[in-house]
Amino acid sequence: MKKSNFIALVMGTVSGVLFSLGMCMALLPEWNAFGAGVILGCVGMILGAITFFIWCRMEKRSFPKLNGKNVLRTVYGVVSALVLGTGMCLCLVWQNIIWGTIVGLAGIVMLLALIPMIKGIK
């Protein structure tokens, strides 16, 4: 494993944990830590962006171009993740197993469709 990939792995893991812990703190009323959760979630997002920039610099790669195609792919990925999350919420929070499974599987299929959308089919 290259040093740049290892650093990106560690920093990405830390930023993901900080973001998810912050979201749990903000969204679970039992924890009574909304303000601190929002701050911790924002720190996780900022650290994730810093991780990406550091990895690009270490790999001597240019940053992705901001064009319509990349923006559309990003929006599609976010919507797909939200659909998957909605399916999980239907199952785990609202105990609606059948619809939750259907919506969750739709989200997984949508996320899988990102692979040919980004890499292409040859």
Side-chain angles (χ1 to χ4, degrees):
M1 177 180 274
K2 294 190 315 187
K3 186 164 119 177
S4 61
N5 290 340
F6 179 72
I7 290 173
L9 174 74
V10 171
M11 289 181 68
T13 302
V14 170
S15 67
V17 167
L18 289 176
F19 177 74
S20 60
L21 182 61
M23 290 302 98
C24 286
M25 290 169 65
L27 297 175
L28 292 174
E30 297 87 20
W31 289 16
N32 198 21
F34 180 79
V38 169
I39 292 170
L40 199 60
C42 289
V43 168
M45 287 191 331
I46 292 169
L47 185 60
I50 291 171
T51 301
F52 176 71
F53 291 126
I54 289 174
W55 179 79
C56 283
R57 297 282 290 191
M58 289 180 79
E59 289 286 317
K60 295 179 177 54
R61 293 183 182 209
S62 62
F63 300 121
K65 295 183 177 98
L66 187 63
N67 56 20
K69 196 177 203 182
N70 287 340
V71 171
L72 183 65
R73 289 175 181 164
T74 303
V75 169
Y76 179 79
V78 169
V79 169
S80 302
L82 288 172
V83 169
L84 176 61
T86 302
M88 290 175 62
C89 285
L90 282 168
C91 285
L92 299 173
V93 176
W94 297 308
Q95 286 83 31
N96 195 342
I97 303 299
I98 295 172
W99 280 109
T101 303
I102 292 169
V103 172
L105 284 174
I108 291 171
V109 169
M110 290 171 69
L111 285 170
L112 285 173
L114 271 174
I115 297 170
M117 190 183 298
I118 293 172
K119 294 287 184 183
I121 299 175
K122 297 186 178 154

